[in-house]
PDB file of all heavy atoms in Angstrom:
ATOM      1  N   ALA A 954       4.135  -0.476  -4.710  1.00 97.00           N
ATOM      2  CA  ALA A 954       5.516  -0.693  -4.908  1.00 97.00           C
ATOM      3  C   ALA A 954       6.119  -1.642  -3.883  1.00 97.00           C
ATOM      4  O   ALA A 954       7.044  -2.365  -4.176  1.00 97.00           O
ATOM      5  CB  ALA A 954       6.236   0.712  -4.691  1.00 97.00           C
ATOM      6  N   ASP A 955       5.544  -1.557  -2.677  1.00 98.00           N
ATOM      7  CA  ASP A 955       6.053  -2.476  -1.640  1.00 98.00           C
ATOM      8  C   ASP A 955       5.722  -3.955  -1.946  1.00 98.00           C
ATOM      9  O   ASP A 955       6.423  -4.884  -1.563  1.00 98.00           O
ATOM     10  CB  ASP A 955       5.490  -2.097  -0.243  1.00 98.00           C
ATOM     11  CG  ASP A 955       5.989  -0.748   0.208  1.00 98.00           C
ATOM     12  OD1 ASP A 955       7.266  -0.597   0.379  1.00 98.00           O
ATOM     13  OD2 ASP A 955       5.190   0.202   0.324  1.00 98.00           O
ATOM     14  N   VAL A 956       4.547  -4.123  -2.510  1.00 98.00           N
ATOM     15  CA  VAL A 956       4.168  -5.552  -2.983  1.00 98.00           C
ATOM     16  C   VAL A 956       5.307  -6.079  -3.939  1.00 98.00           C
ATOM     17  O   VAL A 956       5.768  -7.204  -3.789  1.00 98.00           O
ATOM     18  CB  VAL A 956       2.799  -5.540  -3.756  1.00 98.00           C
ATOM     19  CG1 VAL A 956       2.514  -6.861  -4.363  1.00 98.00           C
ATOM     20  CG2 VAL A 956       1.738  -5.166  -2.776  1.00 98.00           C
ATOM     21  N   SER A 957       5.707  -5.298  -4.904  1.00 97.00           N
ATOM     22  CA  SER A 957       6.692  -5.803  -5.879  1.00 97.00           C
ATOM     23  C   SER A 957       8.013  -5.935  -5.259  1.00 97.00           C
ATOM     24  O   SER A 957       8.693  -6.958  -5.459  1.00 97.00           O
ATOM     25  CB  SER A 957       6.790  -4.756  -7.092  1.00 97.00           C
ATOM     26  OG  SER A 957       5.545  -4.632  -7.714  1.00 97.00           O
ATOM     27  N   PHE A 958       8.428  -5.039  -4.463  1.00 98.00           N
ATOM     28  CA  PHE A 958       9.814  -5.011  -3.846  1.00 98.00           C
ATOM     29  C   PHE A 958       9.846  -6.067  -2.836  1.00 98.00           C
ATOM     30  O   PHE A 958      10.882  -6.848  -2.807  1.00 98.00           O
ATOM     31  CB  PHE A 958      10.173  -3.661  -3.285  1.00 98.00           C
ATOM     32  CG  PHE A 958      11.532  -3.629  -2.760  1.00 98.00           C
ATOM     33  CD1 PHE A 958      12.674  -3.914  -3.611  1.00 98.00           C
ATOM     34  CD2 PHE A 958      11.832  -3.294  -1.514  1.00 98.00           C
ATOM     35  CE1 PHE A 958      14.002  -3.895  -3.135  1.00 98.00           C
ATOM     36  CE2 PHE A 958      13.130  -3.263  -0.969  1.00 98.00           C
ATOM     37  CZ  PHE A 958      14.220  -3.553  -1.870  1.00 98.00           C
ATOM     38  N   GLY A 959       8.862  -6.231  -1.955  1.00 98.00           N
ATOM     39  CA  GLY A 959       8.921  -7.230  -0.973  1.00 98.00           C
ATOM     40  C   GLY A 959       9.010  -8.630  -1.524  1.00 98.00           C
ATOM     41  O   GLY A 959       9.734  -9.461  -1.100  1.00 98.00           O
ATOM     42  N   LEU A 960       8.137  -8.812  -2.571  1.00 97.00           N
ATOM     43  CA  LEU A 960       8.217 -10.225  -3.206  1.00 97.00           C
ATOM     44  C   LEU A 960       9.506 -10.486  -3.984  1.00 97.00           C
ATOM     45  O   LEU A 960       9.908 -11.602  -4.166  1.00 97.00           O
ATOM     46  CB  LEU A 960       6.935 -10.376  -4.049  1.00 97.00           C
ATOM     47  CG  LEU A 960       5.619 -10.501  -3.333  1.00 97.00           C
ATOM     48  CD1 LEU A 960       4.500 -10.547  -4.353  1.00 97.00           C
ATOM     49  CD2 LEU A 960       5.608 -11.786  -2.506  1.00 97.00           C
ATOM     50  N   LEU A 961      10.089  -9.453  -4.541  1.00 98.00           N
ATOM     51  CA  LEU A 961      11.400  -9.580  -5.115  1.00 98.00           C
ATOM     52  C   LEU A 961      12.491 -10.002  -4.102  1.00 98.00           C
ATOM     53  O   LEU A 961      13.264 -10.936  -4.352  1.00 98.00           O
ATOM     54  CB  LEU A 961      11.907  -8.275  -5.726  1.00 98.00           C
ATOM     55  CG  LEU A 961      13.327  -8.210  -6.247  1.00 98.00           C
ATOM     56  CD1 LEU A 961      13.526  -9.133  -7.489  1.00 98.00           C
ATOM     57  CD2 LEU A 961      13.762  -6.774  -6.662  1.00 98.00           C
ATOM     58  N   LEU A 962      12.423  -9.422  -2.952  1.00 98.00           N
ATOM     59  CA  LEU A 962      13.333  -9.786  -1.890  1.00 98.00           C
ATOM     60  C   LEU A 962      13.067 -11.259  -1.412  1.00 98.00           C
ATOM     61  O   LEU A 962      14.019 -12.027  -1.129  1.00 98.00           O
ATOM     62  CB  LEU A 962      13.218  -8.855  -0.680  1.00 98.00           C
ATOM     63  CG  LEU A 962      13.687  -7.371  -0.891  1.00 98.00           C
ATOM     64  CD1 LEU A 962      13.500  -6.627   0.328  1.00 98.00           C
ATOM     65  CD2 LEU A 962      15.206  -7.385  -1.360  1.00 98.00           C
ATOM     66  N   HIS A 963      11.749 -11.593  -1.364  1.00 97.00           N
ATOM     67  CA  HIS A 963      11.388 -12.938  -1.083  1.00 97.00           C
ATOM     68  C   HIS A 963      11.939 -13.964  -2.056  1.00 97.00           C
ATOM     69  O   HIS A 963      12.465 -15.019  -1.646  1.00 97.00           O
ATOM     70  CB  HIS A 963       9.869 -13.121  -0.951  1.00 97.00           C
ATOM     71  CG  HIS A 963       9.465 -14.500  -0.848  1.00 97.00           C
ATOM     72  ND1 HIS A 963       9.650 -15.296   0.325  1.00 97.00           N
ATOM     73  CD2 HIS A 963       8.813 -15.348  -1.727  1.00 97.00           C
ATOM     74  CE1 HIS A 963       9.086 -16.516   0.192  1.00 97.00           C
ATOM     75  NE2 HIS A 963       8.679 -16.585  -1.088  1.00 97.00           N
ATOM     76  N   ARG A 964      11.829 -13.667  -3.342  1.00 96.00           N
ATOM     77  CA  ARG A 964      12.354 -14.587  -4.356  1.00 96.00           C
ATOM     78  C   ARG A 964      13.917 -14.616  -4.254  1.00 96.00           C
ATOM     79  O   ARG A 964      14.436 -15.774  -4.276  1.00 96.00           O
ATOM     80  CB  ARG A 964      11.940 -14.012  -5.698  1.00 96.00           C
ATOM     81  CG  ARG A 964      12.523 -14.889  -6.907  1.00 96.00           C
ATOM     82  CD  ARG A 964      12.145 -16.315  -6.823  1.00 96.00           C
ATOM     83  NE  ARG A 964      10.730 -16.520  -6.867  1.00 96.00           N
ATOM     84  CZ  ARG A 964      10.016 -16.746  -7.930  1.00 96.00           C
ATOM     85  NH1 ARG A 964      10.706 -16.839  -9.160  1.00 96.00           N
ATOM     86  NH2 ARG A 964       8.717 -16.960  -7.876  1.00 96.00           N
ATOM     87  N   LEU A 965      14.600 -13.521  -4.089  1.00 97.00           N
ATOM     88  CA  LEU A 965      15.983 -13.565  -3.859  1.00 97.00           C
ATOM     89  C   LEU A 965      16.387 -14.353  -2.692  1.00 97.00           C
ATOM     90  O   LEU A 965      17.432 -15.202  -2.740  1.00 97.00           O
ATOM     91  CB  LEU A 965      16.566 -12.079  -3.791  1.00 97.00           C
ATOM     92  CG  LEU A 965      16.465 -11.249  -4.996  1.00 97.00           C
ATOM     93  CD1 LEU A 965      16.878  -9.827  -4.598  1.00 97.00           C
ATOM     94  CD2 LEU A 965      17.412 -11.760  -6.093  1.00 97.00           C
ATOM     95  N   TYR A 966      15.643 -14.334  -1.568  1.00 96.00           N
ATOM     96  CA  TYR A 966      15.963 -15.091  -0.390  1.00 96.00           C
ATOM     97  C   TYR A 966      15.648 -16.572  -0.664  1.00 96.00           C
ATOM     98  O   TYR A 966      16.481 -17.413  -0.259  1.00 96.00           O
ATOM     99  CB  TYR A 966      14.934 -14.611   0.726  1.00 96.00           C
ATOM    100  CG  TYR A 966      15.039 -15.386   1.953  1.00 96.00           C
ATOM    101  CD1 TYR A 966      16.083 -15.320   2.871  1.00 96.00           C
ATOM    102  CD2 TYR A 966      14.032 -16.342   2.309  1.00 96.00           C
ATOM    103  CE1 TYR A 966      16.171 -16.152   3.977  1.00 96.00           C
ATOM    104  CE2 TYR A 966      14.099 -17.124   3.463  1.00 96.00           C
ATOM    105  CZ  TYR A 966      15.087 -16.973   4.295  1.00 96.00           C
ATOM    106  OH  TYR A 966      15.160 -17.735   5.419  1.00 96.00           O
ATOM    107  N   GLN A 967      14.601 -16.970  -1.307  1.00 94.00           N
ATOM    108  CA  GLN A 967      14.354 -18.323  -1.670  1.00 94.00           C
ATOM    109  C   GLN A 967      15.430 -18.932  -2.497  1.00 94.00           C
ATOM    110  O   GLN A 967      15.847 -20.075  -2.332  1.00 94.00           O
ATOM    111  CB  GLN A 967      13.050 -18.448  -2.413  1.00 94.00           C
ATOM    112  CG  GLN A 967      11.783 -18.605  -1.497  1.00 94.00           C
ATOM    113  CD  GLN A 967      10.592 -19.118  -2.403  1.00 94.00           C
ATOM    114  OE1 GLN A 967      10.341 -18.677  -3.460  1.00 94.00           O
ATOM    115  NE2 GLN A 967       9.887 -20.085  -1.789  1.00 94.00           N
ATOM    116  N   LEU A 968      15.923 -18.073  -3.415  1.00 95.00           N
ATOM    117  CA  LEU A 968      17.059 -18.646  -4.322  1.00 95.00           C
ATOM    118  C   LEU A 968      18.424 -18.637  -3.650  1.00 95.00           C
ATOM    119  O   LEU A 968      19.307 -19.204  -4.191  1.00 95.00           O
ATOM    120  CB  LEU A 968      17.109 -17.745  -5.626  1.00 95.00           C
ATOM    121  CG  LEU A 968      15.837 -17.798  -6.455  1.00 95.00           C
ATOM    122  CD1 LEU A 968      16.001 -16.708  -7.549  1.00 95.00           C
ATOM    123  CD2 LEU A 968      15.674 -19.185  -7.017  1.00 95.00           C
TER     124      LEU A 968
END
Side-chain angles (χ1 to χ4, degrees):
D955 294 296
V956 171
S957 298
F958 185 56
L960 287 175
L961 171 65
L962 294 180
H963 169 71
R964 175 57 60 92
L965 292 171
Y966 174 76
Q967 272 195 315
L968 297 174

